[in-house]
Every structure is written in structure tokens, then in C-alpha cells.
Amino acid sequence: MKREDFPILKEQVHKRPLVYLDNAATSQKPQAVIDAISEAYCHWNSNIHRGVHHLSQVATMKHEEARKAVAAFIGAKSSDEIIFTKGTTDSLNALAFSFGEACIHEGDEIIVSAVEHHSNIVPWQMLCARKKAVLRHIPLREDKTLDIEAFKGLLNEKTKLVSVAHVSNVLGTINPVEEIIRIAHAGGVPVCIDGAQSVPHMHMDVQALDCDFLAFSGHKMYGPTGIGVLYGKREWLEKLPPHEGGGEMIDHVRWSGTTYNELPFKFEAGTPNFVGSYALHKAIEYIQSIGWEAVEAHERELTAYCEERLAGIEGVHIYAAGIPKAGVISFNVFTDHQSLIHPFDIGTLLDQQGVAARTGHHCAEPLIDDLGVPGTVRVSFGLYNDKSDVDAFIAALERAVQMLS
Ligand code: PLP
């Protein structure tokens, strides 16, 4: 699928063709996205919103068109509900501060899950420390899926927010967010979805899902770094205070005080990343040109193929084996005597054969602790990967295991 659109895939690493299987960390960029960045700086770079001159108006139009494209891409009711941020982490920190200021008081509770990335743990821990609130988490069942019965038991009148990953960046498992949202809403509790690993891989419709907030990153969905999105339902965003001051977020500033701009600008202090939003728009168009049905089917097939091939290697233990995954697989390899081959050693030998896989805790230390290992080897797919990448990875892994056993 469209490998030729991604110039970096022609690179060699250690004199081997690059096999890029680290898409959960960041995806590669199609030529259309790379060209968009160059086009912006060559032809219409100018600060947006307040300029009367031509370039500023062009830049403003491109930025606001990108906002509309993002809104349509995730099925938001209005582009006013799309806040541009630096990425998922920035979106979650913004929400934690803003929601925390307005809605969290001493003794209140926030629920996350056992599979969260640190970006969906630490901002809530910081908020809880500030407000003397309590952070709880939904535990895992034996099969490494979320324990929804336990979640029901955690919800109570003190619960003010649930914030969960849609897809685990370690296990690749797809959390039952529809069910979580339904249960939370029945208790009047809003839900934030960390979509960092789902938005690049599946069709999202925030209105059908009925989530209150959604955070995601441009760079994991074939867009540039430094741009991301916080979606929020208008009713919520209108209630929440800004998390940063300065620039476009003001209405009027007097020594006596400041009034704030309307949505979405209230949450966009400082010069926005208008080149990033334009390039993100191109990434969205790129995904749309292929179509979600084709992307989802291709990645589903590839992930299943890789899991099947991995399971055929002696000593490989796949986490959440057999559970449907969205483009991510984590595993470890154990020797005859059940001792773990350190994932770092496997990653190093894979790299020497041109295969980019990630090893370690994947910024999800509580989950890795739960798994009882120092880390895992993780492979993750993008729409340009194909079976030849999986075959090259499996051959490289077999060689690595042979050398390390
Ligand atoms: N949440 C999840 C589930 C992730 O996988 C990641 C990145 O890997 C993040 C949040 C943080 O994303 P970013 O570094 O783009 O802010």
C-alpha cells in the first residue's frame, strides 16, 4: 500500500533496507505532508488572525480550513470544538489543568486504566496532588483486557472524570470505550479518550461515540510533529477556563482584568502552529484518499499475520495473545530455561539488521510492572507496512534469538 509515497522508506539502515515497525512512537510522512511544510514557508508564511495583509489572510484561512478538516475527520459537531495543541500529551495536560480548576475539589476522584501511557497518568496525578483528589485505575483481567465489572465498582458520587486510552500503546488491545462511556454517563460522569493510538488506525466518530473529550497527536497519523488536537464537546469547553494566557485567547485586556475569547481561541494562547495544522490537513487528506475501510482491513490483516508468525517462534510470549489489536504487538522471548532474553538485546540485534522496533517500558511503567517484566519488544504498523516487512522482521528475530539463546 503506497510505500512509494513515503521517501524515508527507501533509506538503508546499517546497509540493510529499512523495515520501520515503530509506528506507535511516530509514523513516517508522505511526500504530500513534507511538501506542505515547504510550501508554507516558501509561499505564505505569516502570523495568523490579526494581520490585514495578504499573507496573513492566506495563513489564517489555511489554519481554519485545517480545523474544519479535523472536525469532519473525527465527526465533531463544529470546528469550534477543535483545539490545536502540541500533541496528545499537551492536550491531556491542558484538560487536566482546565478541568481541574473548574471541576475538581478535595476528595474528588478521577479514574484512568491500568494500560495508560504516562501522558494519561501524570497530569492527573499532578492535578490530584494540587487539589487533594484521588486517582484510581481500572485493573486488568487475566487476559489483559480491562475489568469492566471492577470499573463499575470504582465509580461513585465522588467520581468527576474518567480518562482512558482507546488503544493500549503497549498491548495494542482496543478498550471497550463505548461501554465505558455508557456506564460513566449513566452516573453523570464525563469521559476523555486518549486517542493517540486509535485515531491513526480507525475511523473515529466522536458524536457516535459520545465521548466528552478526545486527545490525539498529528505525528502518529502521518502528520508533522508539534501539532495535536484536543476535542471537547462545546458544553464542556464553554464551562472550562483557559489553561494558558496570552495571544489569541483574550477578548480584552485591562489592568482591571482580562476577558477571554470565544471557542476555540480561548484555549489557543500564543502563535499557533499554523504550518503544522496545514500539514496535518494534508495527512488527513492522505488517509482519506486511501479510505478507512482499506486502511483498517490492511492493518488488521497485517497484525494478525505478524502475531501468527511470532507465535510460531519457540520461546516467544505475546502479551494479550489472541485479543484483537490495532496495529501494535508486544512480546518477550524466553530461553529453554524460562529466563528472559532482555528486550534491549533483541532490539539492538534487530536494529543491526535494519529493523526498527521499540524496546523498554513504552512510557507505561505501571502496565509493565503489572506484566512483571523489565520491558517488552514492541512492533507497530502503519498503512505502508506489508507482509514483506513482517517476514523480514521474523527472519531478523529468529537470527537474534539464535545468537542470544
Ligand atoms: N497516549 C498514548 C496512548 C500514546 O501512545 C502516546 C505516545 O506514544 C501518548 C499518549 C503521547 O503522545 P505524544 O508524545 O505525541 O504527546
Side-chain angles (χ1 to χ4, degrees), residues 23-26 85-93 115-120 164-170 194-198 215-220 225-228 328 358 362-364 378:
N23 293 280
T26 198
T85 65
K86 289 185 287 191
T88 309
T89 306
D90 194 35
S91 299
L92 292 168
N93 275 279
V115 301
E116 300 309 323
H117 186 281
H118 297 159
S119 296
N120 198 28
V164 287
H166 194 169
V167 168
S168 161
N169 69 307
V170 176
D194 174 349
Q197 299 296 343
S198 56
F216 58 98
S217 301
H219 71 96
K220 292 182 196 287
T225 49
I227 187 92
V328 176
R358 189 148 291 242
H362 316 296
C363 295
R378 180 185 77 182

Side-chain angles (χ1 to χ4, degrees), residues 1 201 287 289-301 383:
M1 209 189 253
H201 298 289
I287 296 171
S289 73
I290 297 170
W292 272 125
E293 216 174 302
V295 172
E296 288 180 26
H298 174 72
E299 292 184 355
R300 207 179 312 121
E301 192 192 343
L383 50 76

